[in-house]
Amino acid sequence: MNTMPHDKGHAAADQLTQSEERYRALVTATSDVVYRMSPDWKVMSQLDGGSFLLDTGEPIDNWVEKYIHPEDQQKVYEAIEIAIRTKTIFALEHRVLRADGTLGWTFSRAVPLFNEQGEIIEWFGAANDVSARKQTEQDLQDAKDAAEHQKRTYETITSSTPDLIYVFALDYTFSYANEALLAMWGKTWDTAIGKRLIENGYEQWHADMHEREIDQIVATKQSIRGEVAFPHAVLGRRVYDYILNPVLNAQGEVEAVAGTTRDISDIRAAENTLAESEARFRMMAEATNIYIATSDESSNATYFNQSWTKLTGRPQKDLLAYGWVDLLHPDDQERHVKVYEKAFKAHKPLHDAFRVLNSEGEYRWLLIDGFPRNYMDGSFAGFISAGIDITELKEDEQRKNDFISMVSHELKTPLTSALSYVQVSKKRATEANDTVTAGMLERTEKQLGKMTRIINGFLNVSRLESGKIQIDAQRFDMAELMEEVKEEALISNTGHQIKFGYTKSIWVNADREKIAQVIQNFISNAVKYSRPNSTIQVRCKLVDGKAQVCTSDEGIGINHEDLPKLFERFYRVKDSEMRNISGFGIGLYLCNEIIKRHDGDIWAESTVGEGSTFYFTLPTVE
Ligand code: ADP
């Protein structure tokens, strides 16, 4: 380029040209791009783009589209306008389309060259590829944004928890405290951060303790967990559980200590209440002479009270490990275990009496009530049982039984002989045609027969209680038994409509005679407790794989509360309607004992004034 007029002399012009050439060489050497623009920037007369931008050899007027990123074009125009107007250097960082078609960043500067009149005659520009720096800047910005985002996330977490979260610098000052902690202190970030514990209101002992812990963490790089209680200004005495963790730097050295603290006052209070209540109940359980034990949901024993250890002579741990089933009387063992297992499986209460060998080698009678327990969520938690010693009661009962049995036996002999005298006398009176005497003797015989049945009933009970009733099982068809019972019932009962219904071939393995006795008992009760001429139904069918017999009557019915007690010995309903119906409350008790010994069930359903239905079931066989 030559801007010097020739008439100023060759030497000067040469010098200038030389200096300009040097300047250009310098700029070209230090820049990625050099370019020349017309005074109004409309035309680019030349651009050497190196490997950064495409070269322009001929003057062009579409250089903006060729090089400048569309979004930056406006910015470029504005910078040009200012540079032209102020006749100063154009300098701008903007995006460019690179020679390889990708986007890059450039820092571009252009100086105006003037003529003697001070008018711009050309712009001489140089630009550098700053894409790499821009990329680094961008990466840095991204990293900053990510960090900012992460910080906001952590802020949200730490500010929304009721737990106290904080960080100590190694000079024991707080470098972070979350909102909950600031609120507890009643301080703001600016008044609390950078302060030590003591300055944030901690008592001396408390501040010392944490500062010692910080030292320890720095030395050991190990976390510390602790519990501390102190009075809170508003909430009273509080208990806190805290964990202090070392924060390690890249070299693995402790650079800070981060901590979290949780208020566990309510948990501790609940635990204390629970422990206190547990202790109270345990004391109650220990102080009583009731036998108390608990088991878990898998039937493992979990507790025996002192009464149990005293009775068995076994320490608690042996009872827990081995139990006491081996101490059961041989006659009670199998039965009681069955009763227990059945109740446990069904999660139903149990009520049972049995004999246990005590530490002195004698059997004691226990009456045990067991109840299923539930967890708070309602799921089954196991059993709790309470028992009392009923040995004395049982002995009394035994004496009473012995007495009844003895009286019955004693009565039986004179009764039998009285009966035979009456029968002989009746025969003789008939032969002598003394019909009046024969008639009276006939009635005497009937009354004596009734007495015999009553006495037999008592004898049955005492035989049962002394274990003398044996089950004589044989395989038979219930239908056949029903047929027999039907025939007998129809002959002896004239006052009621008795209807029978049964399915053929329900095979059972049972004591035929005793089962017949149970059905007859049901029928005679139905007859006894209902008005003459009412209907009685006797049925036998297969229900859930078991033989089920039931008798329904249209009689006086039974109160809801009395229903489960009917099967107890000597139990009779206390009812005005019952007063003139004689009985001893033995029949159903015997039925119950017989059915139980057959692994069957027995029960009754009833509506007062409408009638009752008595049921029993027996397991079937092939
Ligand atoms: P008993 O009939 O000798 O009193 P049970 O043991 O046979 O003794 O019956 C016990 C009690 O059950 C009876 O006293 C009576 O109150 C009641 N009971 C039994 N069967 C019936 C029935 N079918 N209807 C009403 N009450 C009955």
Side-chain angles (χ1 to χ4, degrees):
M1 194 200 300
N2 191 352
T3 57
M4 282 281 161
H6 279 100
D7 52 357
K8 287 280 176 182
H10 275 293
D14 278 356
Q15 232 181 349
L16 192 64
T17 309
Q18 265 180 24
S19 115
E20 194 183 316
E21 288 301 326
R22 271 204 304 277
Y23 170 68
R24 276 174 193 267
L26 179 72
V27 171
T28 308
T30 56
S31 305
D32 296 317
V33 177
V34 289
Y35 60 91
R36 294 167 57 201
M37 308 299 296
S38 62
D40 58 3
W41 286 72
K42 291 255 161 48
V43 178
M44 173 179 275
S45 40
Q46 186 197 350
L47 183 143
D48 294 332
S51 58
F52 181 43
L53 303 180
L54 285 175
D55 290 346
T56 287
E58 297 292 308
I60 55 167
D61 57 7
N62 63 341
W63 60 273
V64 173
E65 288 80 50
K66 185 175 177 184
Y67 294 111
I68 316 292
H69 186 276
E71 282 176 23
D72 288 357
Q73 289 174 2
Q74 187 58 33
K75 191 163 88 173
V76 170
Y77 285 134
E78 282 164 14
I80 291 171
E81 193 270 320
I82 293 171
I84 292 175
R85 181 157 44 80
T86 58
K87 295 184 176 174
T88 52
I89 290 175
F90 163 92
L92 188 66
E93 206 166 77
H94 60 84
R95 283 168 285 179
V96 286
L97 298 170
R98 289 198 280 197
D100 63 5
T102 62
L103 210 62
W105 278 88
T106 184
F107 177 59
S108 178
R109 290 162 67 90
V111 287
L113 303 179
F114 301 98
N115 62 14
E116 281 174 343
Q117 286 74 43
E119 292 158 350
I120 300 171
I121 50 166
E122 188 176 42
W123 294 84
F124 178 64
N128 276 316
D129 179 358
V130 294
S131 306
R133 171 170 63 75
K134 270 286 176 183
Q135 189 57 48
T136 313
E137 272 174 23
Q138 190 57 45
D139 289 349
L140 200 66
Q141 190 56 43
D142 287 350
K144 267 189 187 157
D145 288 348
E148 195 56 38
H149 172 77
Q150 215 168 37
K151 193 176 158 225
R152 275 200 308 276
T153 309
Y154 290 137
E155 271 305 324
T156 310
I157 296 170
T158 59
S159 62
S160 59
T161 173
D163 291 347
L164 312 175
I165 302 173
Y166 44 89
V167 180
F168 287 109
L170 297 189
D171 62 359
Y172 313 123
T173 61
F174 283 95
S175 61
Y176 176 81
N178 73 340
E179 279 181 24
L181 184 55
L182 293 172
M184 193 184 98
W185 289 336
K187 288 187 133 190
T188 61
W189 176 273
D190 293 334
T191 57
I193 300 306
K195 300 279 165 42
R196 288 171 65 161
L197 285 145
I198 197 100
E199 296 166 286
N200 279 330
Y202 287 73
E203 286 180 36
Q204 190 68 51
W205 66 268
H206 197 170
D208 288 349
M209 178 180 88
H210 287 320
E211 293 187 359
R212 271 198 310 276
E213 286 166 345
I214 292 168
D215 290 343
Q216 190 184 328
I217 290 168
V218 172
T220 62
K221 298 180 186 171
Q222 301 287 321
S223 305
I224 289 178
R225 180 165 190 166
E227 202 175 296
V228 63
F230 56 87
H232 184 277
V234 183
L235 303 172
R237 197 188 115 92
R238 309 300 289 171
V239 187
Y240 296 92
D241 174 39
Y242 65 92
I243 305 173
L244 299 176
N245 286 310
V247 179
L248 303 180
N249 64 13
Q251 285 73 48
E253 287 150 3
V254 178
E255 63 175 18
V257 172
T260 54
T261 295
R262 174 165 295 184
D263 184 337
I264 54 163
S265 315
D266 295 340
I267 298 171
R268 277 284 174 279
E271 280 171 357
N272 282 342
T273 315
L274 198 70
E276 200 272 325
S277 140
E278 157 124 20
R280 183 149 33 98
F281 279 103
R282 200 167 278 267
M283 241 169 92
M284 272 157 66
E286 291 303 330
T288 173
N289 54 10
I290 295 174
Y291 298 89
I292 298 172
T294 59
S295 65
D296 65 15
E297 66 270 30
S298 318
S299 186
N300 299 313
T302 48
Y303 170 73
F304 286 96
N305 74 343
Q306 234 175 57
S307 296
W308 271 112
T309 54
K310 267 195 215 149
L311 174 81
T312 55
R314 288 183 179 168
Q316 162 110 233
K317 78 171 177 13
D318 290 0
L319 277 173
L320 289 177
Y322 316 116
W324 47 270
V325 169
D326 57 307
L327 299 179
L328 273 165
H329 191 286
D331 291 351
D332 298 339
Q333 200 174 61
E334 202 188 319
R335 189 190 49 77
H336 175 69
V337 169
K338 255 194 209 162
V339 166
Y340 170 77
E341 281 173 354
K342 195 172 160 192
F344 194 91
K345 237 165 117 187
H347 302 175
K348 289 261 169 65
L350 78 88
H351 178 81
D352 196 30
F354 46 79
R355 283 155 288 181
V356 180
L357 194 65
N358 73 5
S359 55
E360 279 148 33
E362 56 184 65
Y363 280 104
R364 302 296 298 180
W365 274 99
L366 297 194
L367 176 67
I368 293 275
D369 275 300
F371 301 95
R373 315 179 279 127
N374 287 338
Y375 288 117
M376 300 277 263
D377 66 1
S379 63
F380 177 62
F383 257 58
I384 181 158
S385 68
I388 49 169
D389 189 318
I390 54 163
T391 311
E392 265 80 56
L393 226 77
K394 276 280 178 187
E395 281 168 0
D396 274 357
E397 211 171 82
Q398 190 55 48
R399 276 193 290 276
K400 199 165 73 195
N401 272 349
D402 291 348
F403 177 75
I404 293 172
S405 154
M406 188 190 71
V407 170
S408 309
H409 269 292
E410 292 301 318
L411 282 176
K412 230 186 146 174
T413 323
L415 197 61
T416 313
S417 64
L419 195 60
S420 48
Y421 283 122
V422 166
Q423 278 165 351
V424 173
S425 307
K426 189 182 83 179
K427 200 174 163 215
R428 292 181 72 159
T430 313
E431 279 165 4
N433 281 329
D434 182 352
T435 47
V436 176
T437 312
M440 289 195 288
L441 287 169
E442 167 85 37
R443 261 171 272 155
T444 313
E445 191 190 352
K446 270 203 180 135
Q447 293 301 321
L448 289 177
K450 212 170 163 187
M451 250 167 108
T452 312
R453 275 196 300 280
I454 292 170
I455 287 168
N456 280 340
F458 285 132
L459 281 174
N460 271 339
V461 171
S462 72
R463 261 195 237 130
L464 186 94
E465 311 236 300
S466 49
K468 278 181 198 140
I469 284 193
Q470 293 296 326
I471 297 299
D472 220 346
Q474 63 180 98
R475 183 176 174 276
F476 65 89
D477 184 355
M478 282 299 289
E480 279 174 28
L481 183 71
M482 290 294 287
E483 186 62 35
E484 274 171 38
V485 172
K486 176 180 165 183
E487 276 165 23
E488 236 186 87
L490 295 184
I491 292 165
S492 53
N493 287 291
T494 46
H496 286 78
Q497 313 281 332
I498 308 186
K499 293 184 177 156
F500 279 82
Y502 43 87
T503 329
K504 280 216 153 44
S505 306
I506 303 179
W507 292 90
V508 296
N509 189 37
D511 189 321
R512 206 168 189 279
E513 232 173 84
K514 294 204 174 60
I515 298 301
Q517 200 184 320
V518 173
I519 306 172
Q520 276 153 0
N521 216 304
F522 277 11
I523 297 172
S524 68
N525 276 349
V527 168
K528 213 156 96 175
Y529 298 106
S530 65
R531 266 168 284 285
N533 231 359
S534 59
T535 306
I536 294 167
Q537 300 210 36
V538 187
R539 273 165 307 200
C540 176
K541 57 186 173 190
L542 200 64
V543 177
D544 296 335
K546 289 177 184 166
Q548 188 191 80
V549 177
C550 67
T551 63
S552 313
D553 61 50
E554 299 169 346
I556 58 171
I558 304 152
N559 250 322
H560 188 69
E561 303 88 70
D562 286 311
L563 275 179
K565 300 182 196 154
L566 301 179
F567 303 96
E568 287 171 18
R569 199 174 54 152
F570 303 141
Y571 191 83
R572 303 203 73 214
V573 175
K574 287 177 192 54
D575 191 291
S576 54
E577 284 204 63
M578 287 275 309
R579 279 193 198 132
N580 25 9
I581 306 172
S582 70
F584 289 98
I586 291 172
L588 288 180
Y589 169 65
L590 286 173
C591 292
N592 185 28
E593 293 296 320
I594 291 167
I595 296 302
K596 267 200 326 210
R597 280 167 171 68
H598 281 89
D599 286 331
D601 286 311
I602 188 166
W603 72 99
E605 290 165 2
S606 183
T607 311
V608 174
E610 283 182 21
S612 317
T613 305
F614 281 78
Y615 298 86
F616 75 80
T617 59
L618 287 179
T620 51
V621 289
E622 282 297 300

